[in-house]
Amino acid sequence: MNALIIFALLVALLLTGMPVSIALGLTVLGFLFAFSDVPIQAVALKLFTGIEKFEIMAIPFFILAGNFLTHGGVARRMIQFATSMIGHWPGGLALAGVMACALFAAVSGSSPATVVAIGSILIPAMVKAGFPQRFGAGAITSSGALGILIPPSIVMVMYAVSTNSSIGALFMAGVIPGLLLAAMLGATTWWKAWRGRYPRLPRATWGQRLKALRESLWGLLLIVIVLGGIYAGIFTPTEAAAMSAVYAFIIAVFVYKDLRLRDVPRVLLASANMSAMLLYIITNAVLFSFLMTSEQVPQHMAQWLLDAGLGPVMFLLLVNLLLLLAGNVMEPSSIVLILAPILFPVAMHLGIDPIHFGIIMVVNMEIGMITPPVGLNLYVASGIARMGITELTKAVSPWLLTMLVFLAIITYVPVISLALPRWLGMMR
């Protein structure tokens, strides 16, 4: 009964159009005042202690690194490198866009940032080269979702914080699925380009390719610094995030010199705004999780699902349907912070690996980024391509179907996610 009251309060507040963070906080306060004996002082204590985890510091650092890279010419150089490698294939510019999104995802940790960085350059270039606007916008909007699957990933950090999972193991678990999804999105792009006889670029010489690699090498090295440093035990994921922010600042300002020192305060302010927004959501989500735990809602839900005789296969199917539905109306950070603490205990009862379950949640969040009405990538790409949300939703549909197939594969073939962290000795 208490669970129904809590969720009814939350849904009612969300339906008013209230921001998710405030709705979470008011749900907790309303329930504690009216239906619970928990002292209200516990709320004040949780507000301060909820974000005292060392791992949470990784979020503002990855946001800062992503903003430095977005403004610092790294995306442009990655596009030039990708274009020199595969631009001569059918739909070469679009395929280069998919590859550039995968590369930029490996340094930014954010899906909308990937769409902005790659899309603002490539979508107008594709239209100018003779590609239909819907094709170019669909390919980049969908491929930008790789930003939260290929590590480092802010959404993975949030899942790890919510469930006390290993951030390092999650990062490594996202590598093979991220590369597989990039290949599947690339195959869909190639097929549509080949079928539509879209233009291709002249084949680049090996000299041009080496020049493009040399120019993009400073940006690509960030992948080695973050993942290599975590695997080698040189620093924790949080320390890796701080290192990536410092490194991104140095290459943007002093190496590539595309970002002037006088523009740095503007980047810092934008990063602080986004970090504050996410940390406020996290704080209220921690409060909500505290309420759920004190009312034993996850335990009761877990027991109810187990009593219903649901096995892992049916449970994962229901989880995917729930997350896909939630992805239509909420942004990824809120979904992970609200639903992970509820679904995680059930998954553990059913013997589902926590790292595998995390990757399933992240892939669902990726799909939510390109589905209306709240798909963040759709809104970002809509501004770049100057297309309506409805038209853009139709444009991404072939890639959306590809991602749904990928979700089914990842859900029921856990070895894809778990092979690399196991091989690296990060989990059993």
Side-chain angles (χ1 to χ4, degrees), residues 322-343:
L322 173 64
L323 292 174
L324 288 173
L325 183 63
N328 287 333
V329 293
M330 292 169 70
E331 51 91 29
S333 306
S334 305
I335 297 170
V336 170
L337 291 166
I338 294 170
L339 293 181
I342 299 169
L343 298 171

Side-chain angles (χ1 to χ4, degrees), residues 344-388:
F344 185 78
V346 187
M348 296 308 96
H349 269 102
L350 294 172
I352 298 165
D353 187 274
I355 301 300
H356 175 223
F357 191 66
I359 297 300
I360 292 170
M361 287 200 78
V362 171
V363 174
N364 274 286
M365 298 305 96
E366 278 192 300
I367 294 171
M369 300 294 267
I370 60 169
T371 52
V374 188
L376 291 178
N377 284 12
L378 290 178
Y379 285 96
V380 171
S382 172
I384 295 168
R386 296 183 180 156
M387 294 170 65

